[in-house]
Amino acid sequence: MNTIRKARFIIITLSLSFFSCSISAEMVAGLYQARVLIADRSESELTRGFSEALVKVLIKLTGQSQISSNMPWVRMLIDGAESFIERYSFELKPENQKELSLLAVFDKKILSQELQTLEIRRWNSVRPTILFRIIEPYGNLPAGNILEQDYYDIINKKATDRGLPVTFFQSQSDSFENQYEDDLKLNYLAQYPAHVEFSITSFTADKIQLNGSLFFLNKKKILNMSGNNIKALLDRMVDVTADHIASVIVLNDGGIEPQEVILEFFGIETREEFERLLKYLDALEQVGKTSVKTIEASSIELEITVKGGVRGFEQSVMYSKVLQKTSDRNSSQYTFLE
């Protein structure tokens, strides 16, 4: 009976991931900025800091942790990193006044144009919220009284660096089996297009095992890794999760060639709502020029330049809380939800 319930739970959760009205996503802020540690405020350290920050931004924008300064196209961008800077500032950590960090904010328009010229695909800023859940019991945890929240804090920090929206399931259940018995938990999990279940076991002081599964779009990816540092393992788990989800979405974004499309939007009743719609569209990387084609009593038609055309627009708002397709059969009509 438990096996049947688990199977039904997984099928329902993954099926719901296809419907934007049922799932959670966020428009991620700060994709064009990064914070790095530097030794001092010298020109050489500033240059190094800009280069390191740019690599971190490129990882966030592409969704791929393999991005490095060893890649020729990355090296070319790094050579001109300072020309992409919009502003920067120095910060001292409150808990350690001797630790200096550099916050570098890159110009979105200039950097986006460079990536477009190089034909580098980017993960759009509307990204699905991923639910992480640690499975109890934890097993033989490493010494140090590490709590469930400590794991989640590490995951959250790494996810922020990756531009990955996350949330956490903090179960009060005493057993893993009971979590499938609770309808409230099932409904909670069904809100998210992907979720990660993981457990950590410590065999010795130098051997820690992380076993987990990533569920996304009808597929399950096994996450098994070992090492001697919990933080490094959790960081790696987030990297694998972000890399996988980004690659699936980016590879199916309909291409990068801009196309003129006509889209119809419903649910806009005031000028303020129309202005909010335009502001939202302007923030999407795939969207270029937008103009009004027709205004009817119940809808507005916009002529929009979109990378990948209708398919590209559909991918860019797949997990949006602002726009929802009126039906699965029509990718040119959307309802404005705010």
Side-chain angles (χ1 to χ4, degrees):
M1 181 63 71
N2 285 336
T3 301
I4 295 175
R5 286 196 181 108
K6 290 180 182 179
R8 290 178 61 193
F9 170 83
I10 293 173
I11 292 171
I12 292 172
T13 299
L14 293 174
S15 297
L16 285 172
S17 69
F18 286 99
F19 298 93
S20 60
C21 60
S22 304
I23 58 180
S24 178
E26 296 179 25
M27 178 173 280
V28 182
L31 290 177
Y32 288 82
Q33 66 182 46
R35 182 177 284 102
V36 297
L37 293 176
I38 55 176
D40 52 52
R41 305 187 187 212
S42 66
E43 185 175 343
S44 60
E45 272 297 282
L46 190 60
T47 299
R48 186 191 65 78
F50 287 155
S51 300
E52 186 178 335
L54 180 57
V55 171
K56 294 182 71 171
V57 165
L58 293 175
I59 290 174
K60 284 197 287 187
L61 293 177
T62 61
Q64 298 304 311
S65 62
Q66 300 92 336
I67 299 295
S68 75
S69 58
N70 295 324
M71 298 178 174
W73 68 270
V74 176
R75 186 72 256 166
M76 183 175 68
L77 291 176
I78 286 178
D79 289 342
E82 191 169 354
S83 65
F84 303 136
I85 290 291
E86 180 180 284
R87 64 182 184 276
Y88 66 91
S89 60
F90 299 102
E91 300 176 350
L92 288 171
K93 283 191 174 182
E95 65 275 16
N96 185 357
Q97 290 294 309
K98 293 184 179 180
E99 193 169 279
L100 182 64
S101 64
L102 169 70
L103 175 63
V105 181
F106 295 89
D107 188 287
K108 177 180 177 179
K109 183 177 181 179
I110 297 176
L111 185 55
S112 295
Q113 289 175 342
E114 288 292 330
L115 293 174
Q116 183 175 345
T117 299
L118 294 170
E119 297 187 349
I120 302 300
R121 290 192 173 189
R122 286 167 289 156
W123 188 8
N124 64 72
S125 58
V126 180
R127 302 181 176 186
T129 303
I130 312 304
L131 176 68
F132 281 84
R133 183 164 70 103
I134 189 167
I135 301 173
E136 297 178 310
Y138 301 140
N140 301 315
L141 291 177
N145 298 319
I146 297 178
L147 303 176
E148 177 179 333
Q149 187 58 48
D150 295 327
Y151 292 110
Y152 290 157
D153 287 343
I154 295 172
I155 292 171
N156 188 60
K157 186 177 184 303
K158 179 63 175 180
T160 299
D161 288 342
R162 289 299 310 268
L164 182 70
V166 296
T167 190
F168 305 100
F169 188 97
Q170 295 177 313
S171 172
Q172 302 301 316
S173 173
D174 292 329
S175 71
F176 174 76
E177 296 289 335
N178 288 341
Q179 295 187 29
Y180 290 94
E181 302 290 332
D182 193 331
D183 290 337
L184 291 177
K185 293 186 178 70
L186 187 151
N187 292 333
Y188 182 67
L189 288 171
Q191 297 176 41
Y192 300 96
H195 69 274
V196 176
E197 299 174 347
F198 69 98
S199 63
I200 296 177
T201 303
S202 176
F203 298 100
T204 66
D206 296 325
K207 185 178 181 182
I208 303 169
Q209 181 71 33
L210 186 153
N211 297 316
S213 299
L214 163 62
F215 299 87
F216 183 54
L217 298 183
N218 286 324
K219 292 186 179 181
K220 175 181 177 181
K221 182 177 178 62
I222 302 300
L223 307 173
N224 291 337
M225 49 199 75
S226 60
N228 58 9
N229 184 290
I230 291 179
K231 181 181 181 304
L233 289 176
L234 293 174
D235 284 351
R236 184 179 168 195
M237 178 178 67
V238 174
D239 273 334
V240 172
T241 299
D243 288 354
H244 178 72
I245 291 175
S247 63
V248 170
I249 294 174
V250 172
L251 288 176
N252 292 278
D253 68 355
I256 62 175
E257 288 300 318
Q259 298 178 27
E260 297 288 339
V261 300
I262 297 176
L263 302 176
E264 188 173 11
F265 299 90
F266 297 86
I268 302 171
E269 300 179 355
T270 66
R271 181 180 180 85
E272 288 73 21
E273 289 176 341
F274 178 60
E275 290 176 348
R276 288 204 298 272
L277 171 63
L278 292 181
K279 183 178 180 181
Y280 175 78
L281 294 175
D282 185 61
L284 297 175
E285 288 86 351
Q286 282 80 0
V287 173
K289 182 181 177 181
T290 300
S291 60
V292 176
K293 184 172 179 62
T294 62
I295 299 178
E296 303 292 341
S298 60
S299 68
I300 295 177
E301 280 190 337
L302 298 179
E303 187 171 347
I304 306 175
T305 303
V306 186
K307 294 177 185 175
V310 172
R311 174 62 173 166
F313 186 83
E314 181 182 3
Q315 288 289 327
S316 69
V317 299
M318 180 182 293
Y319 305 109
S320 174
K321 294 180 181 178
V322 178
L323 293 176
Q324 174 187 323
K325 281 202 304 182
T326 56
S327 72
D328 289 332
R329 296 181 180 179
N330 193 333
S331 297
S332 298
Q333 293 182 335
Y334 292 85
T335 299
F336 183 64
L337 302 177
E338 287 191 359

